[in-house]
Amino acid sequence: MPYTDIARGSRTFTTPRKQSEERAEITRLENELRAFVAIALQHGMRDYCEIRHPELTRELEEGLERAGRRAEVKYAYVMERLAQVPGLMASTGETGERTYYRNSEENVAYIEHSLWSKRFILSGIWVAPTHRGKGVAHCILRQLVEAADEAELGIELHHEPFGEEGLDKPALEAFYNRHGFQHHELTPGAMFRIPRSPLDHHGRS
């Protein structure tokens, strides 16, 4: 904006470079404010945010609601795919957080899962002792990660060994590493798998 230099009594103008710097600074401050309000909302300070920044608060809450609905749609898609593991029949447990697999004769395996914080939570894959070493867990997990990649849904893994009969912790981690799970700062104490794009898969083929 033009302004008057009182000392010299003449009009001067802001240079394009100065205008660009000012716009960049305004954008930076706006982004910092959005981040502050978002963090405050996560820590139960909604009343404060609503009083001080009502429009921004509503905008962020609406965005979170949309993101939550999108995550639910993605989760439903992944669950639909998990019911289609080749060679196995699937059924869902009473709570909806466990999927059982059986062949034509008996129960073979189950997987524990849920949706939390817009992530697919994997709490374990259990395979019946008589079916271990036959690739059952690999087949189920491959179906899961392929579906999660298609849905662009991250997977957070919380898995401890099932007693002495299953893999120990290092062997479990190695198994999940082969499917793209890594220790990540986003999930302390757990492992995380970031969705891969078709280009990622092409590069690994």
Side-chain angles (χ1 to χ4, degrees):
M1 295 290 294
Y3 65 94
T4 300
D5 187 331
I6 298 177
R8 298 185 178 184
S10 61
R11 289 170 62 85
T12 60
F13 295 86
T14 302
T15 64
R17 179 178 179 180
K18 183 66 174 178
Q19 290 176 341
S20 177
E21 291 175 349
E22 290 175 350
R23 285 195 297 269
E25 179 66 8
I26 290 172
T27 299
R28 184 185 68 80
L29 292 173
E30 289 176 342
N31 289 338
E32 288 186 356
L33 177 60
R34 290 178 66 86
F36 170 79
V37 174
I39 293 172
L41 287 172
Q42 292 175 0
H43 287 78
M45 299 175 62
R46 188 189 184 284
D47 290 344
Y48 169 85
C49 296
E50 178 67 23
I51 293 172
R52 298 295 298 271
H53 307 286
E55 293 183 3
L56 181 55
T57 298
R58 287 192 292 272
E59 178 187 338
L60 289 172
E61 288 182 331
E62 289 171 359
L64 288 172
E65 289 177 4
R66 288 193 298 271
R69 290 193 294 269
R70 287 196 297 269
E72 290 174 357
V73 171
K74 293 178 179 182
Y75 182 77
Y77 173 79
V78 173
M79 293 307 303
E80 181 180 346
R81 289 287 307 279
L82 276 176
Q84 301 169 7
V85 176
L88 297 174
M89 296 176 287
S91 61
T92 305
E94 293 182 0
T95 65
E97 295 186 350
R98 183 177 286 186
T99 298
Y100 295 91
Y101 296 95
R102 60 178 291 116
N103 57 21
S104 59
E105 300 177 352
E106 59 185 346
N107 292 324
V108 172
Y110 68 78
I111 178 174
E112 293 183 342
H113 48 74
S114 60
L115 177 67
W116 182 80
S117 190
K118 300 185 288 294
R119 299 173 184 169
F120 187 103
I121 305 299
L122 174 60
S123 300
I125 301 174
W126 180 86
V127 178
T130 55
H131 291 276
R132 291 176 185 166
K134 300 178 181 179
V136 174
H138 169 76
C139 189
I140 294 172
L141 189 56
R142 183 173 60 185
Q143 187 83 347
L144 168 60
V145 299
E146 288 179 356
D149 285 347
E150 293 170 8
E152 298 181 344
L153 185 64
I155 306 173
E156 183 173 330
L157 170 66
H158 298 267
H159 198 343
E160 295 295 329
F162 285 108
E164 298 180 356
E165 57 189 20
L167 298 176
D168 59 21
K169 194 157 188 173
L172 268 178
E173 288 195 3
F175 170 71
Y176 285 108
N177 280 152
R178 291 195 293 273
H179 291 272
F181 289 85
Q182 301 288 336
H183 288 286
H184 199 284
E185 60 182 6
L186 290 174
T187 54
M191 300 179 77
F192 190 71
R193 187 181 187 280
I194 298 172
R196 291 175 176 167
S197 70
L199 287 177
D200 294 326
H201 289 291
H202 178 74
R204 293 170 61 89
S205 62

mmCIF file of all heavy atoms in Angstrom, residues 88-131:
data_model
loop_
_atom_site.group_PDB
_atom_site.id
_atom_site.type_symbol
_atom_site.label_atom_id
_atom_site.label_comp_id
_atom_site.label_asym_id
_atom_site.label_seq_id
_atom_site.Cartn_x
_atom_site.Cartn_y
_atom_site.Cartn_z
ATOM 1 N N LEU A 88 -9.748 -69.000 2.128
ATOM 2 C CA LEU A 88 -10.275 -68.989 3.485
ATOM 3 C C LEU A 88 -11.645 -68.322 3.525
ATOM 4 O O LEU A 88 -11.927 -67.414 2.745
ATOM 5 C CB LEU A 88 -9.322 -68.247 4.431
ATOM 6 C CG LEU A 88 -7.933 -68.851 4.626
ATOM 7 C CD1 LEU A 88 -7.071 -67.916 5.465
ATOM 8 C CD2 LEU A 88 -8.027 -70.225 5.278
ATOM 9 N N MET A 89 -12.477 -68.771 4.450
ATOM 10 C CA MET A 89 -13.777 -68.149 4.686
ATOM 11 C C MET A 89 -13.671 -67.286 5.939
ATOM 12 O O MET A 89 -13.090 -67.704 6.943
ATOM 13 C CB MET A 89 -14.852 -69.224 4.868
ATOM 14 C CG MET A 89 -15.078 -70.071 3.622
ATOM 15 S SD MET A 89 -16.261 -71.413 3.904
ATOM 16 C CE MET A 89 -15.261 -72.531 4.914
ATOM 17 N N ALA A 90 -14.218 -66.081 5.879
ATOM 18 C CA ALA A 90 -14.073 -65.127 6.978
ATOM 19 C C ALA A 90 -15.410 -64.855 7.654
ATOM 20 O O ALA A 90 -16.463 -64.858 7.013
ATOM 21 C CB ALA A 90 -13.485 -63.818 6.461
ATOM 22 N N SER A 91 -15.352 -64.593 8.957
ATOM 23 C CA SER A 91 -16.527 -64.162 9.718
ATOM 24 C C SER A 91 -16.063 -63.188 10.788
ATOM 25 O O SER A 91 -14.942 -63.290 11.299
ATOM 26 C CB SER A 91 -17.241 -65.354 10.359
ATOM 27 O OG SER A 91 -16.382 -66.028 11.268
ATOM 28 N N THR A 92 -16.925 -62.241 11.128
ATOM 29 C CA THR A 92 -16.574 -61.203 12.089
ATOM 30 C C THR A 92 -17.088 -61.558 13.474
ATOM 31 O O THR A 92 -18.207 -62.059 13.624
ATOM 32 C CB THR A 92 -17.167 -59.848 11.657
ATOM 33 O OG1 THR A 92 -16.726 -59.553 10.327
ATOM 34 C CG2 THR A 92 -16.715 -58.735 12.583
ATOM 35 N N GLY A 93 -16.278 -61.291 14.493
ATOM 36 C CA GLY A 93 -16.681 -61.560 15.865
ATOM 37 C C GLY A 93 -17.746 -60.596 16.348
ATOM 38 O O GLY A 93 -18.098 -59.625 15.666
ATOM 39 N N GLU A 94 -18.261 -60.833 17.551
ATOM 40 C CA GLU A 94 -19.371 -60.046 18.085
ATOM 41 C C GLU A 94 -19.027 -58.571 18.231
ATOM 42 O O GLU A 94 -19.866 -57.706 17.998
ATOM 43 C CB GLU A 94 -19.805 -60.618 19.436
ATOM 44 C CG GLU A 94 -20.434 -62.004 19.347
ATOM 45 C CD GLU A 94 -20.885 -62.506 20.704
ATOM 46 O OE1 GLU A 94 -20.707 -61.760 21.696
ATOM 47 O OE2 GLU A 94 -21.415 -63.629 20.777
ATOM 48 N N THR A 95 -17.810 -58.258 18.632
ATOM 49 C CA THR A 95 -17.438 -56.859 18.851
ATOM 50 C C THR A 95 -17.067 -56.143 17.559
ATOM 51 O O THR A 95 -16.934 -54.917 17.550
ATOM 52 C CB THR A 95 -16.245 -56.759 19.815
ATOM 53 O OG1 THR A 95 -15.089 -57.357 19.205
ATOM 54 C CG2 THR A 95 -16.552 -57.463 21.127
ATOM 55 N N GLY A 96 -16.885 -56.891 16.483
ATOM 56 C CA GLY A 96 -16.465 -56.285 15.226
ATOM 57 C C GLY A 96 -14.981 -56.012 15.155
ATOM 58 O O GLY A 96 -14.502 -55.450 14.171
ATOM 59 N N GLU A 97 -14.228 -56.416 16.190
ATOM 60 C CA GLU A 97 -12.799 -56.134 16.232
ATOM 61 C C GLU A 97 -11.953 -57.396 16.085
ATOM 62 O O GLU A 97 -10.761 -57.390 16.392
ATOM 63 C CB GLU A 97 -12.443 -55.403 17.530
ATOM 64 C CG GLU A 97 -13.093 -54.029 17.614
ATOM 65 C CD GLU A 97 -12.642 -53.233 18.820
ATOM 66 O OE1 GLU A 97 -11.963 -53.815 19.700
ATOM 67 O OE2 GLU A 97 -12.956 -52.033 18.882
ATOM 68 N N ARG A 98 -12.582 -58.462 15.636
ATOM 69 C CA ARG A 98 -11.835 -59.691 15.367
ATOM 70 C C ARG A 98 -12.463 -60.379 14.159
ATOM 71 O O ARG A 98 -13.679 -60.505 14.082
ATOM 72 C CB ARG A 98 -11.842 -60.620 16.582
ATOM 73 C CG ARG A 98 -11.015 -61.882 16.389
ATOM 74 C CD ARG A 98 -10.993 -62.739 17.643
ATOM 75 N NE ARG A 98 -10.146 -62.170 18.694
ATOM 76 C CZ ARG A 98 -9.870 -62.791 19.834
ATOM 77 N NH1 ARG A 98 -10.388 -63.988 20.079
ATOM 78 N NH2 ARG A 98 -9.087 -62.219 20.738
ATOM 79 N N THR A 99 -11.623 -60.785 13.218
ATOM 80 C CA THR A 99 -12.080 -61.520 12.046
ATOM 81 C C THR A 99 -11.495 -62.922 12.099
ATOM 82 O O THR A 99 -10.278 -63.088 12.252
ATOM 83 C CB THR A 99 -11.646 -60.819 10.740
ATOM 84 O OG1 THR A 99 -12.251 -59.517 10.689
ATOM 85 C CG2 THR A 99 -12.087 -61.616 9.519
ATOM 86 N N TYR A 100 -12.379 -63.924 11.997
ATOM 87 C CA TYR A 100 -11.971 -65.322 12.068
ATOM 88 C C TYR A 100 -11.888 -65.911 10.661
ATOM 89 O O TYR A 100 -12.699 -65.590 9.788
ATOM 90 C CB TYR A 100 -12.975 -66.130 12.888
ATOM 91 C CG TYR A 100 -13.045 -65.721 14.340
ATOM 92 C CD1 TYR A 100 -13.945 -64.744 14.760
ATOM 93 C CD2 TYR A 100 -12.212 -66.312 15.292
ATOM 94 C CE1 TYR A 100 -14.012 -64.366 16.093
ATOM 95 C CE2 TYR A 100 -12.278 -65.936 16.624
ATOM 96 C CZ TYR A 100 -13.176 -64.962 17.020
ATOM 97 O OH TYR A 100 -13.239 -64.583 18.335
ATOM 98 N N TYR A 101 -10.925 -66.814 10.482
ATOM 99 C CA TYR A 101 -10.752 -67.486 9.196
ATOM 100 C C TYR A 101 -10.792 -68.998 9.403
ATOM 101 O O TYR A 101 -10.237 -69.515 10.370
ATOM 102 C CB TYR A 101 -9.415 -67.094 8.559
ATOM 103 C CG TYR A 101 -9.320 -65.632 8.215
ATOM 104 C CD1 TYR A 101 -8.737 -64.735 9.104
ATOM 105 C CD2 TYR A 101 -9.825 -65.148 7.015
ATOM 106 C CE1 TYR A 101 -8.653 -63.384 8.800
ATOM 107 C CE2 TYR A 101 -9.747 -63.800 6.702
ATOM 108 C CZ TYR A 101 -9.163 -62.925 7.596
ATOM 109 O OH TYR A 101 -9.090 -61.594 7.297
ATOM 110 N N ARG A 102 -11.438 -69.681 8.476
ATOM 111 C CA ARG A 102 -11.479 -71.129 8.520
ATOM 112 C C ARG A 102 -11.417 -71.676 7.101
ATOM 113 O O ARG A 102 -11.750 -70.984 6.135
ATOM 114 C CB ARG A 102 -12.733 -71.635 9.232
ATOM 115 C CG ARG A 102 -14.047 -71.221 8.600
ATOM 116 C CD ARG A 102 -15.247 -71.819 9.350
ATOM 117 N NE ARG A 102 -15.327 -73.259 9.190
ATOM 118 C CZ ARG A 102 -15.201 -74.133 10.184
ATOM 119 N NH1 ARG A 102 -15.012 -73.711 11.416
ATOM 120 N NH2 ARG A 102 -15.294 -75.439 9.953
ATOM 121 N N ASN A 103 -10.965 -72.897 6.999
ATOM 122 C CA ASN A 103 -11.030 -73.572 5.710
ATOM 123 C C ASN A 103 -12.303 -74.414 5.692
ATOM 124 O O ASN A 103 -13.213 -74.174 6.491
ATOM 125 C CB ASN A 103 -9.766 -74.411 5.471
ATOM 126 C CG ASN A 103 -9.535 -75.435 6.577
ATOM 127 O OD1 ASN A 103 -10.461 -75.809 7.304
ATOM 128 N ND2 ASN A 103 -8.293 -75.889 6.706
ATOM 129 N N SER A 104 -12.384 -75.370 4.841
ATOM 130 C CA SER A 104 -13.616 -76.154 4.738
ATOM 131 C C SER A 104 -13.835 -77.069 5.932
ATOM 132 O O SER A 104 -14.932 -77.620 6.100
ATOM 133 C CB SER A 104 -13.590 -76.991 3.454
ATOM 134 O OG SER A 104 -12.458 -77.855 3.453
ATOM 135 N N GLU A 105 -12.821 -77.214 6.785
ATOM 136 C CA GLU A 105 -12.924 -78.182 7.876
ATOM 137 C C GLU A 105 -12.848 -77.575 9.270
ATOM 138 O O GLU A 105 -13.528 -78.031 10.188
ATOM 139 C CB GLU A 105 -11.817 -79.240 7.732
ATOM 140 C CG GLU A 105 -11.895 -80.024 6.428
ATOM 141 C CD GLU A 105 -10.743 -80.996 6.283
ATOM 142 O OE1 GLU A 105 -9.810 -80.936 7.122
ATOM 143 O OE2 GLU A 105 -10.767 -81.805 5.341
ATOM 144 N N GLU A 106 -12.021 -76.543 9.468
ATOM 145 C CA GLU A 106 -11.789 -76.069 10.830
ATOM 146 C C GLU A 106 -11.315 -74.622 10.844
ATOM 147 O O GLU A 106 -10.983 -74.045 9.802
ATOM 148 C CB GLU A 106 -10.728 -76.944 11.507
ATOM 149 C CG GLU A 106 -9.403 -76.946 10.766
ATOM 150 C CD GLU A 106 -8.392 -77.893 11.370
ATOM 151 O OE1 GLU A 106 -8.613 -78.346 12.512
ATOM 152 O OE2 GLU A 106 -7.377 -78.171 10.709
ATOM 153 N N ASN A 107 -11.279 -74.054 12.067
ATOM 154 C CA ASN A 107 -10.751 -72.705 12.239
ATOM 155 C C ASN A 107 -9.247 -72.707 11.988
ATOM 156 O O ASN A 107 -8.533 -73.620 12.417
ATOM 157 C CB ASN A 107 -11.037 -72.194 13.652
ATOM 158 C CG ASN A 107 -12.520 -71.964 13.882
ATOM 159 O OD1 ASN A 107 -13.233 -71.545 12.978
ATOM 160 N ND2 ASN A 107 -12.984 -72.239 15.090
ATOM 161 N N VAL A 108 -8.797 -71.679 11.307
ATOM 162 C CA VAL A 108 -7.398 -71.609 10.903
ATOM 163 C C VAL A 108 -6.665 -70.456 11.584
ATOM 164 O O VAL A 108 -5.526 -70.606 12.038
ATOM 165 C CB VAL A 108 -7.297 -71.464 9.369
ATOM 166 C CG1 VAL A 108 -5.866 -71.199 8.939
ATOM 167 C CG2 VAL A 108 -7.847 -72.704 8.681
ATOM 168 N N ALA A 109 -7.321 -69.288 11.671
ATOM 169 C CA ALA A 109 -6.626 -68.103 12.183
ATOM 170 C C ALA A 109 -7.637 -67.026 12.544
ATOM 171 O O ALA A 109 -8.824 -67.120 12.215
ATOM 172 C CB ALA A 109 -5.651 -67.572 11.133
ATOM 173 N N TYR A 110 -7.153 -65.998 13.229
ATOM 174 C CA TYR A 110 -7.959 -64.792 13.403
ATOM 175 C C TYR A 110 -7.033 -63.584 13.465
ATOM 176 O O TYR A 110 -5.838 -63.697 13.747
ATOM 177 C CB TYR A 110 -8.863 -64.861 14.642
ATOM 178 C CG TYR A 110 -8.173 -64.850 15.982
ATOM 179 C CD1 TYR A 110 -7.677 -63.664 16.538
ATOM 180 C CD2 TYR A 110 -8.046 -66.024 16.725
ATOM 181 C CE1 TYR A 110 -7.067 -63.652 17.775
ATOM 182 C CE2 TYR A 110 -7.433 -66.020 17.970
ATOM 183 C CZ TYR A 110 -6.952 -64.829 18.490
ATOM 184 O OH TYR A 110 -6.342 -64.817 19.722
ATOM 185 N N ILE A 111 -7.609 -62.423 13.184
ATOM 186 C CA ILE A 111 -6.868 -61.165 13.205
ATOM 187 C C ILE A 111 -7.641 -60.170 14.062
ATOM 188 O O ILE A 111 -8.873 -60.099 13.984
ATOM 189 C CB ILE A 111 -6.658 -60.627 11.764
ATOM 190 C CG1 ILE A 111 -5.932 -59.274 11.783
ATOM 191 C CG2 ILE A 111 -7.965 -60.523 11.017
ATOM 192 C CD1 ILE A 111 -5.569 -58.771 10.388
ATOM 193 N N GLU A 112 -6.943 -59.423 14.914
ATOM 194 C CA GLU A 112 -7.566 -58.416 15.768
ATOM 195 C C GLU A 112 -7.291 -57.034 15.183
ATOM 196 O O GLU A 112 -6.154 -56.725 14.815
ATOM 197 C CB GLU A 112 -7.021 -58.511 17.192
ATOM 198 C CG GLU A 112 -7.415 -59.803 17.892
ATOM 199 C CD GLU A 112 -6.930 -59.855 19.327
ATOM 200 O OE1 GLU A 112 -6.013 -59.075 19.674
ATOM 201 O OE2 GLU A 112 -7.464 -60.662 20.102
ATOM 202 N N HIS A 113 -8.328 -56.206 15.137
ATOM 203 C CA HIS A 113 -8.201 -54.925 14.436
ATOM 204 C C HIS A 113 -9.202 -53.916 14.980
ATOM 205 O O HIS A 113 -10.190 -54.273 15.634
ATOM 206 C CB HIS A 113 -8.461 -55.136 12.944
ATOM 207 C CG HIS A 113 -9.706 -55.938 12.671
ATOM 208 N ND1 HIS A 113 -10.979 -55.425 12.817
ATOM 209 C CD2 HIS A 113 -9.872 -57.235 12.302
ATOM 210 C CE1 HIS A 113 -11.870 -56.358 12.537
ATOM 211 N NE2 HIS A 113 -11.225 -57.477 12.225
ATOM 212 N N SER A 114 -8.953 -52.647 14.708
ATOM 213 C CA SER A 114 -9.878 -51.572 15.060
ATOM 214 C C SER A 114 -9.463 -50.322 14.291
ATOM 215 O O SER A 114 -8.428 -50.305 13.613
ATOM 216 C CB SER A 114 -9.866 -51.301 16.576
ATOM 217 O OG SER A 114 -8.562 -50.930 17.004
ATOM 218 N N LEU A 115 -10.274 -49.293 14.406
ATOM 219 C CA LEU A 115 -9.961 -47.993 13.807
ATOM 220 C C LEU A 115 -9.813 -46.988 14.932
ATOM 221 O O LEU A 115 -10.706 -46.841 15.765
ATOM 222 C CB LEU A 115 -11.079 -47.555 12.851
ATOM 223 C CG LEU A 115 -10.904 -46.171 12.203
ATOM 224 C CD1 LEU A 115 -9.717 -46.169 11.246
ATOM 225 C CD2 LEU A 115 -12.177 -45.761 11.468
ATOM 226 N N TRP A 116 -8.676 -46.305 14.958
ATOM 227 C CA TRP A 116 -8.446 -45.307 16.002
ATOM 228 C C TRP A 116 -7.572 -44.196 15.435
ATOM 229 O O TRP A 116 -6.565 -44.457 14.779
ATOM 230 C CB TRP A 116 -7.758 -45.947 17.215
ATOM 231 C CG TRP A 116 -7.544 -44.984 18.343
ATOM 232 C CD1 TRP A 116 -8.460 -44.574 19.268
ATOM 233 C CD2 TRP A 116 -6.330 -44.286 18.650
ATOM 234 N NE1 TRP A 116 -7.893 -43.671 20.131
ATOM 235 C CE2 TRP A 116 -6.592 -43.475 19.777
ATOM 236 C CE3 TRP A 116 -5.057 -44.268 18.079
ATOM 237 C CZ2 TRP A 116 -5.618 -42.654 20.342
ATOM 238 C CZ3 TRP A 116 -4.094 -43.454 18.638
ATOM 239 C CH2 TRP A 116 -4.373 -42.662 19.761
ATOM 240 N N SER A 117 -7.982 -42.966 15.692
ATOM 241 C CA SER A 117 -7.222 -41.796 15.256
ATOM 242 C C SER A 117 -6.917 -41.859 13.757
ATOM 243 O O SER A 117 -5.809 -41.544 13.319
ATOM 244 C CB SER A 117 -5.917 -41.678 16.058
ATOM 245 O OG SER A 117 -5.279 -40.436 15.819
ATOM 246 N N LYS A 118 -7.913 -42.296 12.990
ATOM 247 C CA LYS A 118 -7.831 -42.374 11.525
ATOM 248 C C LYS A 118 -6.755 -43.343 11.054
ATOM 249 O O LYS A 118 -6.221 -43.216 9.959
ATOM 250 C CB LYS A 118 -7.614 -40.978 10.921
ATOM 251 C CG LYS A 118 -8.734 -39.989 11.239
ATOM 252 C CD LYS A 118 -8.560 -38.662 10.545
ATOM 253 C CE LYS A 118 -7.441 -37.843 11.136
ATOM 254 N NZ LYS A 118 -7.729 -37.428 12.524
ATOM 255 N N ARG A 119 -6.449 -44.340 11.881
ATOM 256 C CA ARG A 119 -5.483 -45.375 11.511
ATOM 257 C C ARG A 119 -6.108 -46.752 11.698
ATOM 258 O O ARG A 119 -6.933 -46.952 12.585
ATOM 259 C CB ARG A 119 -4.224 -45.294 12.379
ATOM 260 C CG ARG A 119 -3.461 -43.997 12.280
ATOM 261 C CD ARG A 119 -2.357 -43.966 13.307
ATOM 262 N NE ARG A 119 -1.661 -42.696 13.312
ATOM 263 C CZ ARG A 119 -0.795 -42.335 14.241
ATOM 264 N NH1 ARG A 119 -0.509 -43.155 15.236
ATOM 265 N NH2 ARG A 119 -0.198 -41.158 14.179
ATOM 266 N N PHE A 120 -5.669 -47.690 10.881
ATOM 267 C CA PHE A 120 -6.032 -49.089 11.078
ATOM 268 C C PHE A 120 -5.118 -49.635 12.171
ATOM 269 O O PHE A 120 -3.898 -49.607 12.038
ATOM 270 C CB PHE A 120 -5.838 -49.875 9.779
ATOM 271 C CG PHE A 120 -6.351 -51.290 9.839
ATOM 272 C CD1 PHE A 120 -7.549 -51.623 9.239
ATOM 273 C CD2 PHE A 120 -5.635 -52.286 10.494
ATOM 274 C CE1 PHE A 120 -8.030 -52.926 9.291
ATOM 275 C CE2 PHE A 120 -6.102 -53.582 10.558
ATOM 276 C CZ PHE A 120 -7.306 -53.906 9.955
ATOM 277 N N ILE A 121 -5.710 -50.111 13.253
ATOM 278 C CA ILE A 121 -4.926 -50.661 14.358
ATOM 279 C C ILE A 121 -4.919 -52.183 14.230
ATOM 280 O O ILE A 121 -5.976 -52.820 14.275
ATOM 281 C CB ILE A 121 -5.504 -50.256 15.727
ATOM 282 C CG1 ILE A 121 -5.639 -48.733 15.822
ATOM 283 C CG2 ILE A 121 -4.615 -50.796 16.845
ATOM 284 C CD1 ILE A 121 -4.341 -47.971 15.690
ATOM 285 N N LEU A 122 -3.749 -52.740 14.060
ATOM 286 C CA LEU A 122 -3.576 -54.191 13.988
ATOM 287 C C LEU A 122 -3.006 -54.670 15.318
ATOM 288 O O LEU A 122 -1.895 -54.291 15.698
ATOM 289 C CB LEU A 122 -2.629 -54.554 12.841
ATOM 290 C CG LEU A 122 -2.225 -56.025 12.716
ATOM 291 C CD1 LEU A 122 -3.445 -56.914 12.512
ATOM 292 C CD2 LEU A 122 -1.228 -56.201 11.572
ATOM 293 N N SER A 123 -3.792 -55.487 16.026
ATOM 294 C CA SER A 123 -3.378 -55.942 17.356
ATOM 295 C C SER A 123 -2.867 -57.373 17.364
ATOM 296 O O SER A 123 -2.538 -57.895 18.431
ATOM 297 C CB SER A 123 -4.549 -55.805 18.342
ATOM 298 O OG SER A 123 -4.969 -54.458 18.420
ATOM 299 N N GLY A 124 -2.823 -58.003 16.213
ATOM 300 C CA GLY A 124 -2.234 -59.333 16.173
ATOM 301 C C GLY A 124 -2.891 -60.259 15.166
ATOM 302 O O GLY A 124 -4.047 -60.080 14.787
ATOM 303 N N ILE A 125 -2.121 -61.222 14.728
ATOM 304 C CA ILE A 125 -2.607 -62.308 13.879
ATOM 305 C C ILE A 125 -2.248 -63.615 14.575
ATOM 306 O O ILE A 125 -1.080 -63.863 14.881
ATOM 307 C CB ILE A 125 -1.964 -62.273 12.479
ATOM 308 C CG1 ILE A 125 -2.262 -60.939 11.780
ATOM 309 C CG2 ILE A 125 -2.471 -63.434 11.626
ATOM 310 C CD1 ILE A 125 -1.545 -60.783 10.448
ATOM 311 N N TRP A 126 -3.247 -64.426 14.855
ATOM 312 C CA TRP A 126 -3.018 -65.719 15.497
ATOM 313 C C TRP A 126 -3.359 -66.823 14.509
ATOM 314 O O TRP A 126 -4.403 -66.787 13.845
ATOM 315 C CB TRP A 126 -3.882 -65.861 16.743
ATOM 316 C CG TRP A 126 -3.694 -67.177 17.454
ATOM 317 C CD1 TRP A 126 -2.748 -67.481 18.386
ATOM 318 C CD2 TRP A 126 -4.478 -68.364 17.273
ATOM 319 N NE1 TRP A 126 -2.881 -68.778 18.804
ATOM 320 C CE2 TRP A 126 -3.942 -69.353 18.133
ATOM 321 C CE3 TRP A 126 -5.567 -68.685 16.470
ATOM 322 C CZ2 TRP A 126 -4.463 -70.633 18.217
ATOM 323 C CZ3 TRP A 126 -6.089 -69.966 16.547
ATOM 324 C CH2 TRP A 126 -5.541 -70.923 17.412
ATOM 325 N N VAL A 127 -2.470 -67.801 14.402
ATOM 326 C CA VAL A 127 -2.679 -68.937 13.509
ATOM 327 C C VAL A 127 -2.677 -70.212 14.343
ATOM 328 O O VAL A 127 -1.822 -70.392 15.222
ATOM 329 C CB VAL A 127 -1.582 -69.007 12.426
ATOM 330 C CG1 VAL A 127 -1.795 -70.225 11.527
ATOM 331 C CG2 VAL A 127 -1.570 -67.730 11.593
ATOM 332 N N ALA A 128 -3.629 -71.093 14.085
ATOM 333 C CA ALA A 128 -3.710 -72.365 14.810
ATOM 334 C C ALA A 128 -2.408 -73.143 14.634
ATOM 335 O O ALA A 128 -1.826 -73.153 13.540
ATOM 336 C CB ALA A 128 -4.885 -73.185 14.293
ATOM 337 N N PRO A 129 -1.928 -73.777 15.699
ATOM 338 C CA PRO A 129 -0.631 -74.484 15.633
ATOM 339 C C PRO A 129 -0.508 -75.446 14.463
ATOM 340 O O PRO A 129 0.557 -75.549 13.851
ATOM 341 C CB PRO A 129 -0.573 -75.217 16.979
ATOM 342 C CG PRO A 129 -1.382 -74.355 17.904
ATOM 343 C CD PRO A 129 -2.505 -73.814 17.060
ATOM 344 N N THR A 130 -1.584 -76.151 14.128
ATOM 345 C CA THR A 130 -1.496 -77.136 13.042
ATOM 346 C C THR A 130 -1.388 -76.489 11.667
ATOM 347 O O THR A 130 -1.119 -77.179 10.676
ATOM 348 C CB THR A 130 -2.732 -78.055 13.063
ATOM 349 O OG1 THR A 130 -3.922 -77.252 13.003
ATOM 350 C CG2 THR A 130 -2.753 -78.903 14.323
ATOM 351 N N HIS A 131 -1.595 -75.170 11.602
ATOM 352 C CA HIS A 131 -1.540 -74.487 10.307
ATOM 353 C C HIS A 131 -0.364 -73.516 10.206
ATOM 354 O O HIS A 131 -0.258 -72.781 9.230
ATOM 355 C CB HIS A 131 -2.854 -73.740 10.055
ATOM 356 C CG HIS A 131 -4.019 -74.644 9.821
ATOM 357 N ND1 HIS A 131 -4.309 -75.189 8.595
ATOM 358 C CD2 HIS A 131 -4.957 -75.126 10.681
ATOM 359 C CE1 HIS A 131 -5.387 -75.948 8.689
ATOM 360 N NE2 HIS A 131 -5.797 -75.929 9.944
#
